[in-house]
Amino acid sequence: YNNRITSFEEKPQGDGNWVNGGYFVLEPEIFDLIEDDTTVWELSPLEKLAKDNQLSAFKHDGFWQPMDTLRDKVKLEELWDTRKAPWKVWE
């Protein structure tokens, strides 16, 4: 499959596209795209990399659930407590 990213937009509402899981493998030259501590990674650097055909992705089709909020934590703990956690091989 084609894993090249041709555009990047941070958190569009309900578009049905793939999400960025936040893990990157980068070349040292990436620092040329970061002006200072105020540079927002998801804006100019990732947008420029996509535009320049320099951004690719690994598409993970398995279970993925963030743990960014208390609600996420509760959901993951409920999966674990009910032995329905898809990341665990239950004996």
Side-chain angles (χ1 to χ4, degrees), residues 1-7 18 53 55-60:
Y1 60 86
N2 181 359
N3 62 351
R4 189 69 63 182
I5 306 300
T6 57
S7 67
W18 289 85
N53 205 26
L55 187 61
S56 296
F58 170 79
K59 293 182 179 180
H60 172 68

Side-chain angles (χ1 to χ4, degrees), residues 6-48:
T6 57
S7 67
F8 186 90
E9 182 182 353
E10 177 67 3
K11 294 187 174 82
Q13 294 295 315
D15 66 354
N17 285 320
W18 289 85
V19 300
N20 165 22
Y23 297 94
F24 296 91
V25 177
L26 305 166
E27 295 289 339
E29 293 80 16
I30 193 65
F31 294 107
D32 295 340
L33 300 179
I34 301 172
E35 188 173 325
D36 57 31
D37 288 348
T38 64
T39 300
V40 179
W41 173 248
E42 294 84 0
L43 294 178
S44 60
L46 285 184
E47 289 171 355
K48 178 167 178 30

